[in-house]
Amino acid sequence: MAIPVLTIDGPSGAGKGTVSRAVAKKLGWNYLDSGSIYRSLAIAVLKQQLSLEDEGAIVNIARSMKLEFDCGDVLVVRLDNIDITTQLGLENTGNTASIIAALPEVRRVLLQKQKDFKQLPGLVADGRDMGTVVFPDAKNKVFLTASAEKRAERRYKQLIEKGIAANLAQITIEIEDRDRRDSERKTAPLAIADDAIYIDSSDMTVESVIAEVLNLIH
Ligand code: C5P
Protein backbone atom coordinates (compact mmCIF):
# COMPACT_ATOMS: atom_id res chain seq x y z
CA MET A 1 0.00 0.00 0.00
CA ALA A 2 1.37 3.40 -0.97
CA ILE A 3 2.05 5.58 2.04
CA PRO A 4 0.70 9.12 1.50
CA VAL A 5 3.15 11.96 2.05
CA LEU A 6 2.44 15.68 2.33
CA THR A 7 5.54 17.88 2.13
CA ILE A 8 5.62 21.43 3.51
CA ASP A 9 8.73 23.37 2.53
CA GLY A 10 9.58 27.02 2.99
CA PRO A 11 11.92 29.51 4.63
CA SER A 12 12.51 29.92 8.38
CA GLY A 13 9.63 31.32 10.35
CA ALA A 14 6.93 30.80 7.71
CA GLY A 15 4.86 28.78 10.20
CA LYS A 16 5.65 25.37 8.70
CA GLY A 17 6.05 23.73 12.12
CA THR A 18 2.74 24.93 13.52
CA VAL A 19 0.85 24.12 10.33
CA SER A 20 2.51 20.72 9.81
CA ARG A 21 1.91 19.60 13.37
CA ALA A 22 -1.75 20.64 13.26
CA VAL A 23 -2.34 18.94 9.89
CA ALA A 24 -0.56 15.74 11.01
CA LYS A 25 -2.67 15.66 14.16
CA LYS A 26 -5.90 16.20 12.25
CA LEU A 27 -5.06 13.44 9.75
CA GLY A 28 -3.56 11.11 12.38
CA TRP A 29 -0.35 10.94 10.32
CA ASN A 30 3.29 10.87 11.43
CA TYR A 31 5.24 14.10 11.50
CA LEU A 32 8.82 14.77 10.43
CA ASP A 33 10.40 18.04 11.57
CA SER A 34 13.51 17.69 9.39
CA GLY A 35 14.98 20.95 10.70
CA SER A 36 15.23 19.32 14.13
CA ILE A 37 17.58 16.70 12.67
CA TYR A 38 19.95 19.42 11.40
CA ARG A 39 19.48 21.29 14.69
CA SER A 40 20.35 18.14 16.70
CA LEU A 41 23.52 17.73 14.69
CA ALA A 42 24.33 21.41 15.33
CA ILE A 43 23.94 20.84 19.09
CA ALA A 44 26.31 17.86 18.94
CA VAL A 45 28.85 19.85 16.90
CA LEU A 46 28.69 22.87 19.25
CA LYS A 47 29.05 20.59 22.28
CA GLN A 48 32.24 19.10 20.84
CA GLN A 49 33.45 22.58 19.86
CA LEU A 50 34.23 21.46 16.32
CA SER A 51 35.11 23.92 13.59
CA LEU A 52 32.11 24.37 11.30
CA GLU A 53 34.47 23.85 8.40
CA ASP A 54 35.61 20.41 9.57
CA GLU A 55 33.29 18.50 7.26
CA GLY A 56 34.90 15.11 8.01
CA ALA A 57 34.37 15.36 11.78
CA ILE A 58 30.83 16.72 11.36
CA VAL A 59 29.93 13.89 8.98
CA ASN A 60 31.25 11.36 11.51
CA ILE A 61 28.94 12.77 14.17
CA ALA A 62 26.02 12.77 11.72
CA ARG A 63 26.69 9.07 11.08
CA SER A 64 27.06 8.02 14.70
CA MET A 65 24.56 10.23 16.58
CA LYS A 66 21.54 8.44 17.98
CA LEU A 67 18.35 10.46 17.71
CA GLU A 68 15.00 9.65 19.28
CA PHE A 69 11.85 11.64 18.64
CA ASP A 70 8.67 11.69 20.72
CA CYS A 71 6.17 13.45 18.49
CA GLY A 72 3.42 14.13 21.03
CA ASP A 73 1.82 17.56 21.50
CA VAL A 74 5.33 18.91 22.04
CA LEU A 75 8.24 17.44 20.13
CA VAL A 76 10.78 15.89 22.51
CA VAL A 77 14.19 15.02 21.05
CA ARG A 78 16.93 12.95 22.66
CA LEU A 79 20.47 13.00 21.30
CA ASP A 80 22.56 10.06 22.48
CA ASN A 81 20.02 9.53 25.31
CA ILE A 82 20.11 13.17 26.49
CA ASP A 83 17.02 15.37 26.21
CA ILE A 84 18.00 18.36 24.02
CA THR A 85 14.48 19.74 23.51
CA THR A 86 15.15 23.09 25.19
CA GLN A 87 18.32 23.74 23.14
CA LEU A 88 16.62 22.96 19.83
CA GLY A 89 14.85 26.30 19.49
CA LEU A 90 17.80 28.56 20.32
CA GLU A 91 18.85 31.07 17.64
CA ASN A 92 22.43 29.86 17.75
CA THR A 93 21.28 26.28 17.15
CA GLY A 94 19.29 27.32 14.07
CA ASN A 95 22.07 29.46 12.63
CA THR A 96 24.66 26.71 13.16
CA ALA A 97 22.25 24.15 11.66
CA SER A 98 21.94 26.29 8.56
CA ILE A 99 25.74 26.43 8.15
CA ILE A 100 26.33 22.69 8.49
CA ALA A 101 23.23 21.88 6.41
CA ALA A 102 25.08 23.32 3.41
CA LEU A 103 27.66 20.49 3.58
CA PRO A 104 26.73 17.97 0.85
CA GLU A 105 28.03 14.88 2.68
CA VAL A 106 26.09 15.85 5.82
CA ARG A 107 22.89 15.97 3.77
CA ARG A 108 23.65 12.63 2.17
CA VAL A 109 24.19 10.95 5.54
CA LEU A 110 21.01 12.42 7.02
CA LEU A 111 18.83 11.48 4.04
CA GLN A 112 17.94 7.95 5.18
CA LYS A 113 17.13 9.11 8.73
CA GLN A 114 14.47 11.33 7.16
CA LYS A 115 13.11 8.74 4.72
CA ASP A 116 12.61 6.34 7.67
CA PHE A 117 9.78 8.56 8.93
CA LYS A 118 7.61 7.52 5.98
CA GLN A 119 5.32 5.06 7.68
CA LEU A 120 1.63 4.22 7.67
CA PRO A 121 -0.89 5.74 7.88
CA GLY A 122 0.93 8.73 6.30
CA LEU A 123 3.53 11.44 6.80
CA VAL A 124 3.61 15.21 6.98
CA ALA A 125 7.23 16.27 6.33
CA ASP A 126 8.37 19.81 7.06
CA GLY A 127 11.66 21.35 5.85
CA ARG A 128 13.45 22.93 2.92
CA ASP A 129 13.89 20.03 0.47
CA MET A 130 11.11 17.63 1.43
CA GLY A 131 9.26 17.92 -1.89
CA THR A 132 12.35 18.34 -4.06
CA VAL A 133 14.88 15.83 -2.68
CA VAL A 134 13.74 13.68 0.24
CA PHE A 135 10.20 12.80 -0.93
CA PRO A 136 10.08 13.85 -4.61
CA ASP A 137 7.21 11.39 -5.23
CA ALA A 138 4.97 12.91 -2.54
CA LYS A 139 1.44 13.30 -3.80
CA ASN A 140 0.81 16.60 -2.02
CA LYS A 141 3.36 19.37 -1.81
CA VAL A 142 3.10 22.82 -0.30
CA PHE A 143 5.55 25.71 -0.38
CA LEU A 144 4.69 27.93 2.58
CA THR A 145 6.26 31.35 2.81
CA ALA A 146 5.74 34.88 4.17
CA SER A 147 7.63 38.15 3.80
CA ALA A 148 10.90 38.39 5.75
CA GLU A 149 9.42 41.29 7.82
CA LYS A 150 6.39 39.23 8.85
CA ARG A 151 8.52 36.20 9.70
CA ALA A 152 10.88 38.31 11.80
CA GLU A 153 7.93 39.92 13.61
CA ARG A 154 6.43 36.51 14.43
CA ARG A 155 9.76 35.21 15.70
CA TYR A 156 10.23 38.35 17.80
CA LYS A 157 6.79 37.94 19.38
CA GLN A 158 7.44 34.25 20.14
CA LEU A 159 10.69 35.07 21.93
CA ILE A 160 9.16 37.95 23.92
CA GLU A 161 6.24 35.73 24.94
CA LYS A 162 8.76 33.18 26.22
CA GLY A 163 10.43 35.94 28.26
CA ILE A 164 13.57 35.88 26.08
CA ALA A 165 15.12 39.27 25.27
CA ALA A 166 15.03 39.91 21.52
CA ASN A 167 15.92 42.60 19.02
CA LEU A 168 13.67 42.86 15.95
CA ALA A 169 16.32 44.43 13.70
CA GLN A 170 18.82 41.70 14.63
CA ILE A 171 16.25 38.94 14.02
CA THR A 172 15.41 40.41 10.60
CA ILE A 173 19.10 40.36 9.64
CA GLU A 174 19.46 36.76 10.83
CA ILE A 175 16.37 35.64 8.91
CA GLU A 176 17.64 37.28 5.74
CA ASP A 177 21.09 35.68 6.21
CA ARG A 178 19.50 32.29 6.75
CA ASP A 179 17.27 32.71 3.66
CA ARG A 180 20.32 33.54 1.60
CA ARG A 181 22.36 30.57 2.88
CA ASP A 182 19.45 28.12 2.48
CA SER A 183 18.54 29.32 -1.03
CA GLU A 184 22.02 29.77 -2.45
CA ARG A 185 23.71 26.56 -1.30
CA LYS A 186 24.64 24.10 -4.04
CA THR A 187 23.12 20.96 -2.50
CA ALA A 188 19.37 20.77 -2.04
CA PRO A 189 18.75 24.53 -1.81
CA LEU A 190 15.42 25.87 -0.65
CA ALA A 191 13.37 25.77 -3.84
CA ILE A 192 9.75 25.46 -4.90
CA ALA A 193 8.99 21.99 -6.31
CA ASP A 194 7.38 22.20 -9.76
CA ASP A 195 4.28 20.45 -8.46
CA ALA A 196 3.97 22.37 -5.17
CA ILE A 197 1.08 24.62 -4.18
CA TYR A 198 2.42 28.06 -3.19
CA ILE A 199 0.94 29.68 -0.09
CA ASP A 200 1.99 33.14 1.09
CA SER A 201 0.89 33.37 4.73
CA SER A 202 1.93 37.02 5.25
CA ASP A 203 -1.68 38.15 5.63
CA MET A 204 -3.30 34.87 6.66
CA THR A 205 -4.15 33.46 10.07
CA VAL A 206 -2.61 30.13 11.06
CA GLU A 207 -6.12 28.63 11.06
CA SER A 208 -6.78 29.62 7.47
CA VAL A 209 -3.44 28.18 6.31
CA ILE A 210 -4.24 24.89 8.08
CA ALA A 211 -7.68 24.83 6.45
CA GLU A 212 -6.19 25.46 3.00
CA VAL A 213 -3.65 22.65 3.41
CA LEU A 214 -6.28 20.21 4.67
CA ASN A 215 -8.44 21.13 1.72
CA LEU A 216 -5.64 20.02 -0.59
CA ILE A 217 -5.53 16.55 0.97
CA HIS A 218 -9.29 16.10 0.84
O1 C5P B 1 13.40 24.53 9.92
P1 C5P B 1 14.46 24.89 10.91
O2 C5P B 1 14.60 26.34 11.17
O3 C5P B 1 14.37 24.09 12.15
O4 C5P B 1 15.83 24.43 10.20
C1 C5P B 1 17.10 24.80 10.69
C2 C5P B 1 18.09 24.82 9.52
O5 C5P B 1 18.26 23.48 9.05
C3 C5P B 1 17.60 25.60 8.31
O6 C5P B 1 17.97 26.96 8.33
C4 C5P B 1 18.23 24.87 7.14
O7 C5P B 1 19.50 25.38 6.83
C5 C5P B 1 18.40 23.46 7.65
N1 C5P B 1 17.42 22.57 7.04
C6 C5P B 1 17.73 22.07 5.81
N2 C5P B 1 16.88 21.18 5.22
C7 C5P B 1 15.75 20.81 5.82
C8 C5P B 1 15.41 21.36 7.07
C9 C5P B 1 16.27 22.25 7.66
O8 C5P B 1 18.74 22.39 5.23
N3 C5P B 1 14.97 19.93 5.23
Side-chain angles (χ1 to χ4, degrees), residues 9-13 16 33-36 38-39 88 93-102 107 114 126-130 134 178-179 181-182 185 187-188:
D9 289 308
S12 305
K16 301 186 303 287
D33 171 0
S34 62
S36 71
Y38 290 95
R39 284 173 183 265
L88 276 180
T93 304
N95 290 329
T96 307
S98 131
I99 295 170
I100 58 182
R107 303 199 73 85
Q114 298 170 73
D126 137 14
R128 303 291 185 291
D129 59 345
M130 297 295 100
V134 184
R178 188 107 74 90
D179 284 358
R181 256 199 314 267
D182 289 350
R185 70 181 174 220
T187 312

Side-chain angles (χ1 to χ4, degrees), residues 201-218:
S201 74
S202 301
D203 298 312
M204 291 172 79
T205 61
V206 175
E207 290 72 25
S208 56
V209 177
I210 293 169
E212 190 166 334
V213 174
L214 281 169
N215 227 348
L216 253 181
I217 302 278
H218 297 132

Side-chain angles (χ1 to χ4, degrees), residues 105 108 151 156 158 167 179 208:
E105 190 60 16
R108 207 184 58 74
R151 288 184 282 128
Y156 174 77
Q158 275 173 359
N167 175 315
D179 284 358
S208 56

Side-chain angles (χ1 to χ4, degrees), residues 1-185:
M1 181 186 172
I3 301 172
V5 178
L6 160 68
T7 61
I8 304 189
D9 289 308
S12 305
K16 301 186 303 287
T18 311
V19 171
S20 304
R21 260 193 302 276
V23 170
K25 194 168 178 189
K26 195 95 187 169
L27 297 170
W29 289 5
N30 300 295
Y31 168 53
L32 164 61
D33 171 0
S34 62
S36 71
I37 296 184
Y38 290 95
R39 284 173 183 265
S40 300
L41 177 60
I43 291 169
V45 165
L46 289 169
K47 199 167 157 196
Q48 299 202 19
Q49 300 186 329
L50 293 177
S51 153
L52 300 185
E53 277 154 29
D54 191 347
E55 184 165 5
I58 297 173
V59 168
N60 280 339
I61 297 186
R63 275 209 192 94
S64 61
M65 69 179 178
K66 187 177 117 204
L67 286 181
E68 293 163 274
F69 292 85
D70 283 346
C71 304
D73 278 344
V74 195
L75 179 74
V76 174
V77 181
R78 275 182 298 276
L79 166 67
D80 298 327
N81 301 320
I82 294 170
D83 187 338
I84 54 162
T85 310
T86 51
Q87 296 164 62
L88 276 180
L90 300 178
E91 296 303 297
N92 189 32
T93 304
N95 290 329
T96 307
S98 131
I99 295 170
I100 58 182
L103 301 170
E105 190 60 16
V106 164
R107 303 199 73 85
R108 207 184 58 74
V109 168
L110 296 181
L111 195 59
Q112 192 57 45
K113 281 193 204 297
Q114 298 170 73
K115 287 183 187 278
D116 290 344
F117 277 78
K118 183 175 164 186
Q119 285 177 23
L120 284 170
L123 175 68
V124 179
D126 137 14
R128 303 291 185 291
D129 59 345
M130 297 295 100
T132 49
V133 175
V134 184
F135 303 109
D137 300 332
K139 215 166 154 208
N140 293 290
K141 300 182 185 179
V142 168
F143 190 88
L144 180 60
T145 189
S147 68
E149 294 73 27
K150 276 278 156 79
R151 288 184 282 128
E153 258 170 44
R154 289 177 192 163
R155 182 73 191 139
Y156 174 77
K157 272 195 197 145
Q158 275 173 359
L159 290 171
I160 297 295
E161 275 164 20
K162 282 189 199 157
I164 300 172
N167 175 315
L168 184 57
Q170 180 62 30
I171 292 176
T172 309
I173 292 172
E174 284 176 7
I175 282 204
E176 285 168 353
D177 278 353
R178 188 107 74 90
D179 284 358
R180 207 170 307 115
R181 256 199 314 267
D182 289 350
S183 315
E184 291 178 1
R185 70 181 174 220

